[in-house]
Structures are given as structure tokens and as C-alpha cells.
């Protein structure tokens, strides 16, 4: 029985290796592809062709890497499929091109000019950072960066590492922010996903070293008090 299992396993490895060897990859930029819904539309258009084997999206760069079987489809046909959508027309992707992106982050712990200067100093040390604009009055930071050299996730992690708890910032009357205390042992990816699934929550982040939990939420769907109650109802030890 064991020999049979090993034989089947070996066969699958050979098949997968053969498929990988037969696949080519085309990477294109699609400047109109700005969100998950756009990526789904691109995916639906491309996967109608049996020659398309896999798709890897990068929404910050607005690129899609198309792994395909050259015996069934070619690069011209892939580009033609995308062009036929009308909206998601492809263009050449250059990994050396500067792709400017911007991001606003709420940073509740940023209270003083010294805090703002500390953030600027650390973020400007990052590869790919264009500009850093802290706003003490509103407690947020706006950054511009090169998406070919860094990512939103990397920038957020840097802020976590230097003692802040960043969450997405939006200039909207229906968006508010909540800041709670959260024990380090509760600051797990699983718990953050749980909180993100609560009504009205747009973004969430925790800093175990600081014992903090920051939330961006839609204030016509929930309130700070309800958020705290809902989180505690899930068995998490969170407090104001």
C-alpha cells in the first residue's frame, strides 16, 4: 500500500513538474485595475481560455502575471482578450519604472512634533519612499512611495516596528477611528481577522509591544462603544 501511495505521489510530482516546464508567463500592467472587483473581472475574462493556467495579481503595481500553456494560447491572444474587455487594456510592465502610489494612515500615538519627525526619519530610510507628510492636527500620515520598490504592508510594518499602530485613513464623514488596549498575547492574526469581520470594521491593526488595538470603522454602521462590546463578546480581553 505504501509503495502504491509513493508511486502515485511520484507521478503527481512528475506531472506538476511537466506542467510547470510547459508554462510561460506574461506580466502586464492594467492601469484601470484598481481593486479586487477589477481583478475578478480580469480573472473571469482570462480564465475562459483553457490555455491560461494561473494568475497572480499585484493591485499596487496594477499588474497581472499570466502563466499559460504556449501550445494553447500566446501572448498576443492574452493581450487581445484583455483589450476586448474595453476597460482592462494591457500595457508593458517595466520593473524599473517608478510606479507612484499614495496611502493615508491614522497614527493615534503620534502626538508631538518629535513623534512626527521620528516617523519621517524612519520612513525616509526605506527604499522606495518618495514623501512623508504627517498631520498632527488630524493624527494621520500621508506617504507616497514607489510600488516597484516597496509595499503598503512593508510601510505599515515599519510603523509598527517603531512603536505606532497604523490603520487606513479616509477623509470621509462616515469614517471614524477607535483605539483600545489589547494584551500582547491576544494580538494574533486570527483575532485581527475576527475583528475585521465585525459589522462596520474597515481596517484593524494591533501592536503587541505597545498593547494597542486600532480600528477604522464606518460610523453609520457601528459605534466605538458597540465595537468594544462586540469584541469583548468574542472573548477577547480588550478595554478602553
Amino acid at each position: 500500500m505504501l509503495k502504491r501511495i509513493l508511486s502515485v505521489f511520484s507521478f503527481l510530482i512528475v506531472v506538476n513538474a511537466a506542467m510547470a516546464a510547459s508554462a510561460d508567463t506574461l506580466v502586464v500592467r492594467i492601469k484601470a485595475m484598481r481593486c479586487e472587483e477589477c481583478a475578478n473581472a480580469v480573472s473571469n475574462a482570462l480564465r475562459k481560455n483553457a490555455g491560461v493556467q494561473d494568475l497572480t495579481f499585484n493591485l499596487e503595481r496594477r499588474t497581472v502575471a499570466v502563466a499559460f500553456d504556449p501550445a494553447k494560447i500566446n501572448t498576443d491572444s492574452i493581450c487581445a482578450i484583455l483589450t476586448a474587455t474595453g476597460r482592462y487594456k494591457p500595457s508593458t510592465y517595466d520593473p524599473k519604472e517608478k510606479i507612484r502610489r499614495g496611502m493615508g494612515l491614522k497614527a493615534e500615538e503620534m502626538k508631538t512634533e518629535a513623534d512626527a519627525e521620528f516617523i519621517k526619519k524612519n520612513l525616509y530610510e526605506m527604499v522606495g519612499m518618495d514623501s512623508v507628510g504627517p498631520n498632527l492636527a488630524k493624527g494621520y500620515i500621508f506617504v507616497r512611495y514607489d510600488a516597484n520598490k516597496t509595499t503598503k504592508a512593508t510601510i505599515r510594518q515599519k510603523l509598527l516596528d517603531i512603536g505606532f499602530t497604523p490603520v487606513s485613513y479616509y477623509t470621509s464623514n462616515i469614517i471614524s477611528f477607535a483605539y483600545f488596549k489589547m494584551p500582547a498575547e491576544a494580538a494574533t492574526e486570527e483575532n485581527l481577522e475576527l475583528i475585521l469581520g465585525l459589522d462596520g470594521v474597515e481596517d484593524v491593526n494591533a501592536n503587541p509591544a505597545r498593547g494597542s488595538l486600532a480600528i477604522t470603522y464606518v460610523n453609520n454602521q457601528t459605534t466605538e462603544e458597540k465595537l468594544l462590546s462586540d469584541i469583548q463578546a468574542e472573548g477577547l480581553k480588550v478595554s478602553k
Side-chain angles (χ1 to χ4, degrees), residues 155-166:
I155 296 166
R156 284 169 65 111
Q157 185 59 52
K158 180 66 174 180
L159 287 166
L160 276 174
D161 292 343
I162 62 175
F164 299 88
T165 318

Side-chain angles (χ1 to χ4, degrees), residues 176-206:
S176 295
F177 308 92
Y179 189 80
F180 302 121
K181 295 176 183 177
M182 184 180 208
E185 63 271 16
T188 65
E189 287 296 326
E190 181 181 3
N191 285 342
L192 294 185
E193 285 295 326
L194 187 154
I195 295 169
L196 190 59
L198 296 175
D199 289 344
V201 175
E202 284 290 302
D203 190 26
V204 61
N205 207 349

Side-chain angles (χ1 to χ4, degrees), residues 106 110-113 116 134-140 169:
K106 179 73 171 177
M110 184 180 66
K111 302 293 188 184
T112 66
E113 287 290 349
N135 186 315
L136 278 176
K138 295 184 178 180
Y140 81 92
Y169 179 86

